[in-house]
Amino acid sequence: MRSLKLELDRKGILTRTVVSAGGRMSGGVKFSRGALYRILGNRIYLGEIVHKGTIYAGEHEAILDREVWESVQERLRSNNDGRKRGIKAKESSLLAGWVFDGDGRRLIPTHTTKKGKRYRYYIAWPAIDETGNQPKVTVPAHDLESTILGALTHWLRDVPTLLADLHLKRRSAAVQEAILANARSLAKSMEEAEPKALRGMLMPIMEKIIVGSDQITVELRRTGINEVLNIGTTSANVGTAKTDKAVVLKIQASMQRGGLEMRLVVNEEWGKVETVSHDWALIKAVARAHIWMEKLVSGEIASIMVLAKQENMTDVYVRRILRCATLAPDIVEAILEGRQPADITLTRLTTNQPMLWAEQRTKFGMGIAP
């Protein structure tokens, strides 16, 4: 941004001059960095209109290619996050361009920032359907990306399924083993790769991802898989409709509300991949509970009534939060690491809470941490 501003200043390019109805003139000055950020982030150039935070399809024609615009936004977000945290953001929208909802609408990457932390999502586009309604589809990006990566790496290691899907059963044992070794190597590389490199690995094989109400469908390019896994072609598996069509992976998953956020809940295990979603309301409650309990036990605060007055809260609420201090240590650890079940909320956690840790684990569906 600094280089852009210097270049505009060097060329003498100024802001537009505007004359008000009263004859007052404004503008005609050098562009500020803030103005440049607003210009580069203006969706009107994509043929879109934003009203009260909702994106709509405009009636005007786009003058920018979406891929170029998204690339610029990712660069701006990366720079902003890097300045705030003192580092360069490495997380990008891994699946951009491939994700659609069940109605065929593209899900585009977006994000919000709360207290310096960036939350990424994929949202439906366009926001308005033919009936004028605004069906809202918002999928947490990390959940979706982890799920897709988990399903893909699981498939690459699933020998019987891989041999069947790629029609390799008639190949010799030596050829099969070589292909399976390539698949295992690719799965391992995907799990260890940085986001930018990982997207490069997905480019040849990813066709489409459809997020439905209870299922995610992943369509893979067969020709790309053949090339990546070094699968040679024979007259037996070339040119037929059966072998030319996409490889399809189906994942049983649904959106559920967990605390204040929506989370993607997968109804199937995918190898080592584990979806993590921190519920900051729960984490804050657990932290408060332990701090308050320590002050009460040490005598620093005389009673719950005094504590409630000091915190400007009701004693009923303070007693409720304090129940988090008696949770089993492994349950607390799961909450801090974001591994709690999606349906665990603060209300459920503090209502009729068992005192025995074993009973807590049973009620909340959270076993002893490994």
Side-chain angles (χ1 to χ4, degrees):
M1 186 62 68
R2 182 174 60 253
S3 298
L4 172 60
K5 175 171 170 50
L6 288 173
E7 181 68 8
L8 292 175
D9 291 347
R10 185 184 67 81
K11 292 182 176 180
I13 298 176
L14 305 177
T15 62
R16 182 180 59 172
T17 300
V18 178
V19 181
S20 68
R24 183 177 179 182
M25 182 178 294
S26 61
V29 297
K30 294 180 179 180
F31 281 90
S32 67
R33 289 177 59 170
L36 293 175
Y37 274 110
R38 288 194 293 274
I39 290 173
L40 292 176
N42 194 340
R43 303 189 76 96
I44 198 168
Y45 304 123
L46 284 177
E48 302 171 4
I49 296 292
V50 180
H51 179 64
K52 294 184 177 179
T54 302
I55 303 169
Y56 301 92
E59 295 182 356
H60 60 287
E61 186 178 348
I63 61 172
L64 280 181
D65 179 76
R66 180 173 294 277
E67 185 174 347
V68 172
W69 193 86
E70 290 290 351
S71 175
V72 171
Q73 304 318 300
E74 193 58 39
R75 179 72 172 270
L76 292 174
R77 287 193 291 264
S78 175
N79 289 341
N80 284 338
D81 286 352
R83 277 193 296 274
K84 288 178 181 177
R85 304 180 194 176
I87 59 173
K88 289 293 183 183
K90 295 181 179 180
E91 239 180 341
S92 59
S93 298
L94 177 66
L95 306 177
W98 294 317
V99 189
F100 297 80
D101 70 2
D103 296 321
R105 296 180 301 170
R106 186 185 296 275
L107 299 187
I108 62 174
T110 186
H111 79 283
T112 60
T113 303
K114 299 177 181 176
K115 298 182 179 179
K117 182 174 177 61
R118 184 180 175 204
Y119 297 86
R120 297 184 301 113
Y121 302 93
Y122 291 93
I123 63 171
W125 174 259
I128 301 179
D129 63 16
E130 295 78 8
T131 64
N133 296 324
Q134 299 180 35
K136 187 175 182 180
V137 178
T138 302
V139 183
H142 181 270
D143 289 5
L144 181 61
E145 291 162 2
S146 296
T147 298
I148 298 302
L149 179 60
L152 187 53
T153 53
H154 176 85
W155 176 73
L156 288 168
R157 292 190 174 104
D158 187 348
V159 174
T161 303
L162 193 68
L163 293 176
D165 286 346
L166 300 182
H167 312 295
L168 301 174
K169 292 184 177 180
R170 293 186 179 181
R171 299 293 188 94
S172 68
V175 171
Q176 287 185 11
E177 181 53 41
I179 294 171
L180 293 174
N182 290 340
R184 291 192 296 270
S185 176
L186 178 59
K188 186 173 186 295
S189 297
M190 285 182 170
E191 291 172 339
E192 296 175 350
E194 293 292 328
K196 186 176 181 179
L198 178 56
R199 183 170 172 85
M201 295 178 190
L202 295 178
M203 287 291 288
I205 65 175
M206 188 64 70
E207 180 67 35
K208 197 175 193 179
I209 300 166
I210 303 171
V211 181
S213 59
D214 57 3
Q215 179 176 276
I216 299 173
T217 303
V218 182
E219 298 181 5
L220 304 175
R221 296 175 184 166
R222 188 177 297 276
T223 53
I225 295 170
N226 288 344
E227 182 178 346
V228 169
L229 298 185
N230 196 25
I231 300 175
T233 57
T234 68
S235 58
N237 70 354
V238 175
T240 66
K242 180 179 180 182
T243 56
D244 286 346
K245 69 179 183 180
V247 175
V248 178
L249 310 182
K250 295 185 177 180
I251 310 165
Q252 300 305 310
S254 60
M255 296 298 299
Q256 293 184 18
R257 183 166 292 282
L260 299 177
E261 295 186 354
M262 294 299 292
R263 299 171 63 185
L264 184 66
V265 179
V266 180
N267 303 324
E268 191 165 355
E269 292 293 332
W270 295 109
K272 299 180 180 179
V273 173
E274 183 180 62
T275 298
V276 177
S277 183
H278 293 96
D279 187 325
W280 300 108
L282 281 181
I283 293 174
K284 184 177 180 179
V286 169
R288 267 182 169 175
H290 281 272
I291 293 172
W292 290 351
M293 184 63 75
E294 184 177 341
K295 289 182 177 180
L296 288 168
V297 171
S298 67
E300 180 181 341
I301 296 179
S303 67
I304 291 178
M305 295 292 289
V306 173
L307 174 61
K309 186 175 181 180
Q310 180 177 308
E311 296 289 337
N312 197 26
M313 299 173 179
T314 66
D315 62 313
V316 173
Y317 181 77
V318 170
R319 289 178 192 277
R320 176 187 167 199
I321 297 299
L322 280 170
R323 292 171 194 157
C324 294
T326 58
L327 289 170
D330 49 291
I331 292 179
V332 172
E333 184 177 351
I335 291 171
L336 296 179
E337 294 178 355
R339 295 186 287 105
Q340 75 282 352
D343 60 351
I344 294 296
T345 63
L346 181 57
T347 299
R348 185 180 173 200
L349 205 62
T350 56
T351 301
N352 299 322
Q353 182 196 100
M355 290 301 296
L356 295 178
W357 288 350
E359 293 179 6
Q360 291 177 5
R361 296 179 185 118
T362 300
K363 179 177 180 179
F364 303 132
M366 301 164 73
I368 297 177

